[in-house]
Amino acid sequence: TRTVTVTAPASAGTLSGTQSICIADTTTFTSNVSGGSWSSSDTGVATVNASTGVVTGVAAGTATITYTVPGTGGCANATATRTVTVNSNNTITLSSGSGTNGQTVTVNTAITDITYSTTGATGATISGLPAGVTGIWDSNDVTISGTPTAIGTFNYTVTMTGGCTGGNNTATGIITVNSGSTSPGFR
C-alpha cells in the first residue's frame, strides 16, 4: 500500500477595495481568504502594507495590487490582483492676461474678463465679486465678467469643488471699483 496526500490548490480568493483614490489618500484592500500578503507593482504610485492591505496614494498613475497566498505541499502560490488609480490633485491657473486678476475700473464700466483653467474639479464657487460681476465654471474653465455697479475693493476667491482637493484648490484676486468722479479744484 501507499498513501497519497492530495493538497488543495491555494486560492487568493476574491478581492475588494476602492480602486480610485487621491494622492495621499488611503484605501484598504481585502480578501476573503487569509494567510496571504500584499504587494504593489508600482511603489512610486501606490504603496501597500504587506500585512494589512492598506494602500496609500503616492503619485498620479495606476498600480496593480497583488495578493499572494503561499501554496502548500508543492502546489504553486495563488495570486489575485486589483488595480488602484491614484488621481492628481486639482489645479487652477490664471489663463487670462497677466494682471487681470488685480484690476481697477470705474463703476459702470465693464471689467476685462478674468479666466482660469482648472483640472480635476467638477465645479467651482466664486465669492466676493462686486455687484454686476459674475463668475461661472464650465468644462474646466472659470470666467469672471460683467460691469460692476458698486464702489469699493473686492477680494474674490475661486474655490474648486469635486475631484482631489489637496494642494492648490483656490485662486484669489482683487477688483477695485472707483467712483470716477473728481472734486473740483479751488482757486
Side-chain angles (χ1 to χ4, degrees):
T1 63
R2 188 164 180 84
T3 302
V4 176
T5 302
V6 179
T7 303
S11 170
T14 303
L15 305 185
S16 61
T18 303
Q19 291 186 261
S20 182
I21 61 176
C22 298
I23 293 172
D25 281 356
T26 61
T27 185
T28 301
F29 281 10
T30 58
S31 172
N32 61 343
V33 172
S34 61
S37 61
W38 298 91
S39 62
S40 172
S41 69
D42 191 341
T43 56
V45 171
T47 61
V48 60
N49 183 301
S51 59
T52 63
V54 175
V55 178
T56 304
V58 178
T62 301
T64 301
I65 307 301
T66 303
Y67 188 62
T68 302
V69 176
T72 58
C75 294
N77 294 348
T79 60
T81 60
R82 195 163 175 85
T83 59
V84 60
T85 300
V86 180
N87 299 296
S88 297
N89 287 326
N90 297 343
T91 63
I92 184 166
T93 307
L94 181 69
S95 55
S96 53
S98 177
T100 55
N101 59 339
Q103 56 184 287
T104 300
V105 297
T106 301
V107 69
N108 298 319
T109 302
I111 66 167
T112 299
D113 286 0
I114 306 164
T115 58
Y116 293 90
S117 295
T118 69
T119 61
T122 58
T125 60
I126 300 99
S127 60
L129 296 173
V133 176
T134 59
I136 59 167
W137 179 91
D138 182 37
S139 301
N140 288 319
D141 291 311
V142 173
T143 302
I144 299 171
S145 62
T147 302
T149 58
I151 297 168
T153 299
F154 300 88
N155 296 288
Y156 69 84
T157 302
V158 180
T159 304
M160 290 184 289
T161 57
C164 294
T165 57
N168 177 18
N169 201 46
T170 62
T172 59
I174 300 173
I175 299 172
T176 303
V177 184
N178 295 325
S179 66
S181 61
T182 57
S183 300
F186 292 98
R187 294 182 186 209

